[in-house]
Short mmCIF file of all heavy atoms in Angstrom, two decimals:
data_model
loop_
_atom_site.label_atom_id
_atom_site.label_comp_id
_atom_site.label_asym_id
_atom_site.label_seq_id
_atom_site.Cartn_x
_atom_site.Cartn_y
_atom_site.Cartn_z
N LYS A 1 3.81 -9.14 -24.97
CA LYS A 1 3.66 -9.40 -26.41
C LYS A 1 2.19 -9.61 -26.76
O LYS A 1 1.48 -10.41 -26.12
CB LYS A 1 4.47 -10.63 -26.83
CG LYS A 1 5.99 -10.42 -26.63
CD LYS A 1 6.76 -11.66 -27.00
CE LYS A 1 8.26 -11.47 -26.74
NZ LYS A 1 9.05 -12.66 -27.08
N ARG A 2 1.71 -8.87 -27.75
CA ARG A 2 0.33 -8.94 -28.18
C ARG A 2 0.24 -8.82 -29.68
O ARG A 2 1.11 -8.19 -30.32
CB ARG A 2 -0.52 -7.83 -27.52
CG ARG A 2 -0.66 -7.95 -25.99
CD ARG A 2 -1.46 -9.17 -25.60
NE ARG A 2 -1.70 -9.28 -24.19
CZ ARG A 2 -0.95 -9.98 -23.36
NH1 ARG A 2 0.14 -10.62 -23.86
NH2 ARG A 2 -1.23 -10.06 -22.06
N ASP A 3 -0.83 -9.41 -30.25
CA ASP A 3 -1.02 -9.27 -31.71
C ASP A 3 -1.91 -8.04 -31.98
O ASP A 3 -2.17 -7.28 -31.07
CB ASP A 3 -1.60 -10.55 -32.30
CG ASP A 3 -3.02 -10.87 -31.77
OD1 ASP A 3 -3.63 -9.97 -31.10
OD2 ASP A 3 -3.47 -11.97 -31.99
N GLN A 4 -2.33 -7.89 -33.19
CA GLN A 4 -3.09 -6.70 -33.56
C GLN A 4 -4.47 -6.64 -32.90
O GLN A 4 -5.09 -5.58 -32.84
CB GLN A 4 -3.31 -6.67 -35.10
CG GLN A 4 -4.05 -7.88 -35.63
CD GLN A 4 -4.22 -7.84 -37.13
OE1 GLN A 4 -4.11 -6.76 -37.72
NE2 GLN A 4 -4.47 -8.99 -37.75
N HIS A 5 -4.91 -7.76 -32.33
CA HIS A 5 -6.19 -7.79 -31.61
C HIS A 5 -5.98 -7.82 -30.09
O HIS A 5 -6.91 -8.14 -29.35
CB HIS A 5 -7.01 -8.98 -32.06
CG HIS A 5 -7.30 -9.04 -33.49
ND1 HIS A 5 -8.12 -8.13 -34.12
CD2 HIS A 5 -6.83 -9.89 -34.48
CE1 HIS A 5 -8.20 -8.40 -35.44
NE2 HIS A 5 -7.41 -9.46 -35.64
N ALA A 6 -4.76 -7.47 -29.64
CA ALA A 6 -4.40 -7.43 -28.22
C ALA A 6 -4.45 -8.82 -27.55
O ALA A 6 -4.68 -8.94 -26.37
CB ALA A 6 -5.31 -6.46 -27.47
N ARG A 7 -4.20 -9.83 -28.34
CA ARG A 7 -4.16 -11.19 -27.83
C ARG A 7 -2.71 -11.66 -27.76
O ARG A 7 -1.85 -11.27 -28.56
CB ARG A 7 -4.95 -12.13 -28.73
CG ARG A 7 -6.42 -11.79 -28.91
CD ARG A 7 -7.08 -12.63 -29.94
NE ARG A 7 -6.40 -12.52 -31.23
CZ ARG A 7 -6.90 -13.01 -32.39
NH1 ARG A 7 -8.03 -13.66 -32.38
NH2 ARG A 7 -6.21 -12.86 -33.50
N PHE A 8 -2.44 -12.58 -26.82
CA PHE A 8 -1.12 -13.16 -26.71
C PHE A 8 -0.91 -14.10 -27.92
O PHE A 8 -1.69 -15.04 -28.09
CB PHE A 8 -0.98 -13.95 -25.41
CG PHE A 8 0.35 -14.65 -25.25
CD1 PHE A 8 1.47 -13.93 -24.91
CD2 PHE A 8 0.45 -16.03 -25.41
CE1 PHE A 8 2.70 -14.56 -24.72
CE2 PHE A 8 1.68 -16.69 -25.27
CZ PHE A 8 2.78 -15.94 -24.92
N PRO A 9 0.13 -13.88 -28.69
CA PRO A 9 0.34 -14.74 -29.86
C PRO A 9 1.00 -16.06 -29.53
O PRO A 9 1.93 -16.10 -28.72
CB PRO A 9 1.27 -13.88 -30.77
CG PRO A 9 2.02 -13.02 -29.76
CD PRO A 9 1.09 -12.78 -28.61
N ASP A 10 0.49 -17.14 -30.12
CA ASP A 10 1.07 -18.46 -29.77
C ASP A 10 2.56 -18.57 -30.15
O ASP A 10 3.28 -19.30 -29.54
CB ASP A 10 0.24 -19.57 -30.39
CG ASP A 10 0.27 -19.52 -31.91
OD1 ASP A 10 0.54 -18.47 -32.47
OD2 ASP A 10 -0.06 -20.56 -32.53
N ALA A 11 2.93 -17.80 -31.18
CA ALA A 11 4.34 -17.84 -31.63
C ALA A 11 5.28 -17.34 -30.56
O ALA A 11 6.48 -17.62 -30.61
CB ALA A 11 4.50 -17.03 -32.90
N ALA A 12 4.76 -16.56 -29.58
CA ALA A 12 5.60 -16.04 -28.52
C ALA A 12 5.67 -16.95 -27.31
O ALA A 12 6.39 -16.68 -26.37
CB ALA A 12 5.06 -14.66 -28.07
N SER A 13 4.97 -18.08 -27.35
CA SER A 13 4.91 -18.95 -26.16
C SER A 13 6.16 -19.82 -26.04
O SER A 13 6.82 -20.14 -27.04
CB SER A 13 3.67 -19.83 -26.24
OG SER A 13 3.82 -20.80 -27.28
N LEU A 14 6.42 -20.22 -24.84
CA LEU A 14 7.58 -21.11 -24.57
C LEU A 14 7.42 -22.42 -25.31
O LEU A 14 8.35 -22.94 -25.86
CB LEU A 14 7.71 -21.35 -23.09
CG LEU A 14 8.79 -22.33 -22.67
CD1 LEU A 14 10.17 -21.77 -22.92
CD2 LEU A 14 8.61 -22.74 -21.18
N ALA A 15 6.21 -22.95 -25.33
CA ALA A 15 5.95 -24.24 -25.99
C ALA A 15 6.32 -24.21 -27.45
O ALA A 15 6.91 -25.20 -27.99
CB ALA A 15 4.48 -24.66 -25.80
N VAL A 16 5.97 -23.16 -28.15
CA VAL A 16 6.30 -23.04 -29.56
C VAL A 16 7.79 -22.80 -29.73
O VAL A 16 8.41 -23.46 -30.60
CB VAL A 16 5.48 -21.90 -30.23
CG1 VAL A 16 5.98 -21.61 -31.64
CG2 VAL A 16 3.99 -22.23 -30.24
N ASN A 17 8.34 -21.93 -28.93
CA ASN A 17 9.76 -21.63 -29.08
C ASN A 17 10.63 -22.84 -28.79
O ASN A 17 11.74 -22.97 -29.38
CB ASN A 17 10.14 -20.47 -28.18
CG ASN A 17 9.54 -19.13 -28.65
OD1 ASN A 17 9.30 -18.96 -29.83
ND2 ASN A 17 9.27 -18.24 -27.70
N GLN A 18 10.20 -23.69 -27.88
CA GLN A 18 10.98 -24.91 -27.56
C GLN A 18 10.47 -26.15 -28.27
O GLN A 18 10.92 -27.25 -27.95
CB GLN A 18 10.98 -25.11 -26.04
CG GLN A 18 11.65 -23.96 -25.25
CD GLN A 18 13.12 -23.91 -25.52
OE1 GLN A 18 13.80 -24.89 -25.81
NE2 GLN A 18 13.69 -22.71 -25.40
N ASN A 19 9.51 -25.96 -29.15
CA ASN A 19 9.03 -27.04 -30.05
C ASN A 19 8.42 -28.22 -29.30
O ASN A 19 8.68 -29.36 -29.66
CB ASN A 19 10.17 -27.51 -30.96
CG ASN A 19 9.66 -28.27 -32.15
OD1 ASN A 19 8.59 -28.02 -32.65
ND2 ASN A 19 10.46 -29.24 -32.59
N PHE A 20 7.60 -27.94 -28.29
CA PHE A 20 6.83 -29.05 -27.71
C PHE A 20 5.34 -28.68 -27.68
O PHE A 20 4.56 -29.26 -26.95
CB PHE A 20 7.30 -29.39 -26.27
CG PHE A 20 7.18 -28.30 -25.24
CD1 PHE A 20 6.01 -28.17 -24.51
CD2 PHE A 20 8.21 -27.42 -24.99
CE1 PHE A 20 5.87 -27.21 -23.53
CE2 PHE A 20 8.12 -26.42 -24.05
CZ PHE A 20 6.93 -26.31 -23.31
N HIS A 21 4.95 -27.77 -28.53
CA HIS A 21 3.56 -27.27 -28.55
C HIS A 21 2.55 -28.30 -29.07
O HIS A 21 1.36 -28.16 -28.85
CB HIS A 21 3.43 -25.98 -29.38
CG HIS A 21 3.91 -26.12 -30.77
ND1 HIS A 21 5.25 -26.31 -31.09
CD2 HIS A 21 3.27 -26.08 -31.96
CE1 HIS A 21 5.39 -26.41 -32.41
NE2 HIS A 21 4.19 -26.26 -32.95
N GLN A 22 3.02 -29.37 -29.74
CA GLN A 22 2.14 -30.39 -30.20
C GLN A 22 2.15 -31.63 -29.28
O GLN A 22 1.62 -32.68 -29.69
CB GLN A 22 2.47 -30.77 -31.64
CG GLN A 22 2.24 -29.59 -32.59
CD GLN A 22 2.40 -30.02 -34.08
OE1 GLN A 22 2.49 -31.18 -34.39
NE2 GLN A 22 2.44 -29.03 -34.95
N ARG A 23 2.71 -31.48 -28.13
CA ARG A 23 2.75 -32.60 -27.13
C ARG A 23 1.82 -32.26 -25.98
O ARG A 23 1.84 -31.16 -25.43
CB ARG A 23 4.18 -32.76 -26.60
CG ARG A 23 5.21 -33.22 -27.62
CD ARG A 23 5.16 -34.72 -27.82
NE ARG A 23 5.57 -35.45 -26.65
CZ ARG A 23 6.84 -35.84 -26.41
NH1 ARG A 23 7.81 -35.57 -27.27
NH2 ARG A 23 7.13 -36.50 -25.33
N PRO A 24 0.97 -33.21 -25.56
CA PRO A 24 0.10 -33.02 -24.36
C PRO A 24 0.92 -33.27 -23.11
O PRO A 24 0.69 -34.24 -22.39
CB PRO A 24 -0.99 -34.01 -24.58
CG PRO A 24 -0.31 -35.16 -25.31
CD PRO A 24 0.74 -34.52 -26.19
N ILE A 25 1.85 -32.36 -22.81
CA ILE A 25 2.83 -32.75 -21.75
C ILE A 25 2.22 -32.85 -20.38
O ILE A 25 2.77 -33.62 -19.55
CB ILE A 25 4.01 -31.75 -21.76
CG1 ILE A 25 3.63 -30.37 -21.29
CG2 ILE A 25 4.71 -31.68 -23.08
CD1 ILE A 25 4.83 -29.50 -21.01
N VAL A 26 1.15 -32.19 -20.06
CA VAL A 26 0.49 -32.34 -18.76
C VAL A 26 -0.01 -33.76 -18.64
O VAL A 26 0.17 -34.44 -17.63
CB VAL A 26 -0.60 -31.30 -18.55
CG1 VAL A 26 -1.39 -31.63 -17.28
CG2 VAL A 26 0.00 -29.92 -18.44
N ASN A 27 -0.65 -34.25 -19.66
CA ASN A 27 -1.10 -35.65 -19.64
C ASN A 27 0.09 -36.61 -19.56
O ASN A 27 0.03 -37.66 -18.87
CB ASN A 27 -1.91 -35.99 -20.92
CG ASN A 27 -3.20 -35.23 -20.99
OD1 ASN A 27 -3.22 -34.03 -21.24
ND2 ASN A 27 -4.30 -35.87 -20.76
N GLU A 28 1.19 -36.28 -20.17
CA GLU A 28 2.37 -37.10 -20.17
C GLU A 28 2.97 -37.11 -18.72
O GLU A 28 3.49 -38.15 -18.29
CB GLU A 28 3.40 -36.64 -21.18
CG GLU A 28 2.99 -36.90 -22.61
CD GLU A 28 4.05 -36.56 -23.60
OE1 GLU A 28 5.22 -36.98 -23.41
OE2 GLU A 28 3.76 -35.85 -24.60
N TYR A 29 2.91 -35.97 -18.05
CA TYR A 29 3.36 -35.94 -16.64
C TYR A 29 2.48 -36.87 -15.80
O TYR A 29 2.98 -37.59 -14.93
CB TYR A 29 3.27 -34.53 -16.08
CG TYR A 29 4.25 -33.53 -16.74
CD1 TYR A 29 3.90 -32.18 -16.84
CD2 TYR A 29 5.51 -33.90 -17.14
CE1 TYR A 29 4.75 -31.27 -17.38
CE2 TYR A 29 6.40 -33.00 -17.66
CZ TYR A 29 5.99 -31.69 -17.81
OH TYR A 29 6.87 -30.74 -18.35
N ALA A 30 1.18 -36.83 -16.04
CA ALA A 30 0.27 -37.68 -15.27
C ALA A 30 0.58 -39.13 -15.53
O ALA A 30 0.61 -39.94 -14.52
CB ALA A 30 -1.17 -37.34 -15.65
N PHE A 31 0.80 -39.52 -16.76
CA PHE A 31 1.08 -40.93 -17.05
C PHE A 31 2.47 -41.32 -16.52
O PHE A 31 2.68 -42.50 -16.17
CB PHE A 31 0.95 -41.21 -18.53
CG PHE A 31 -0.45 -41.33 -19.00
CD1 PHE A 31 -1.00 -40.40 -19.83
CD2 PHE A 31 -1.25 -42.39 -18.56
CE1 PHE A 31 -2.34 -40.50 -20.24
CE2 PHE A 31 -2.54 -42.51 -18.96
CZ PHE A 31 -3.11 -41.56 -19.81
N LEU A 32 3.40 -40.38 -16.48
CA LEU A 32 4.68 -40.68 -15.84
C LEU A 32 4.46 -41.02 -14.38
O LEU A 32 5.02 -41.99 -13.85
CB LEU A 32 5.64 -39.51 -16.00
CG LEU A 32 7.02 -39.68 -15.46
CD1 LEU A 32 8.07 -39.01 -16.39
CD2 LEU A 32 7.20 -39.08 -14.06
N LEU A 33 3.65 -40.23 -13.72
CA LEU A 33 3.34 -40.50 -12.31
C LEU A 33 2.65 -41.85 -12.15
O LEU A 33 2.92 -42.64 -11.24
CB LEU A 33 2.42 -39.41 -11.70
CG LEU A 33 3.09 -38.16 -11.19
CD1 LEU A 33 2.05 -37.16 -10.67
CD2 LEU A 33 4.09 -38.50 -10.04
N LYS A 34 1.75 -42.14 -13.06
CA LYS A 34 1.06 -43.46 -13.03
C LYS A 34 2.05 -44.62 -13.12
O LYS A 34 1.94 -45.60 -12.40
CB LYS A 34 0.04 -43.53 -14.20
CG LYS A 34 -0.68 -44.84 -14.30
CD LYS A 34 -1.64 -44.86 -15.47
CE LYS A 34 -2.34 -46.21 -15.64
NZ LYS A 34 -3.27 -46.24 -16.78
#
């Protein structure tokens, strides 16, 4: 999937489709480990 400028569109990402794109989940994984 690419946009008109041959870039991957954020709308096609898993994070957007599953509605966690505004969560810093990698940081949350780190704090879970902490």
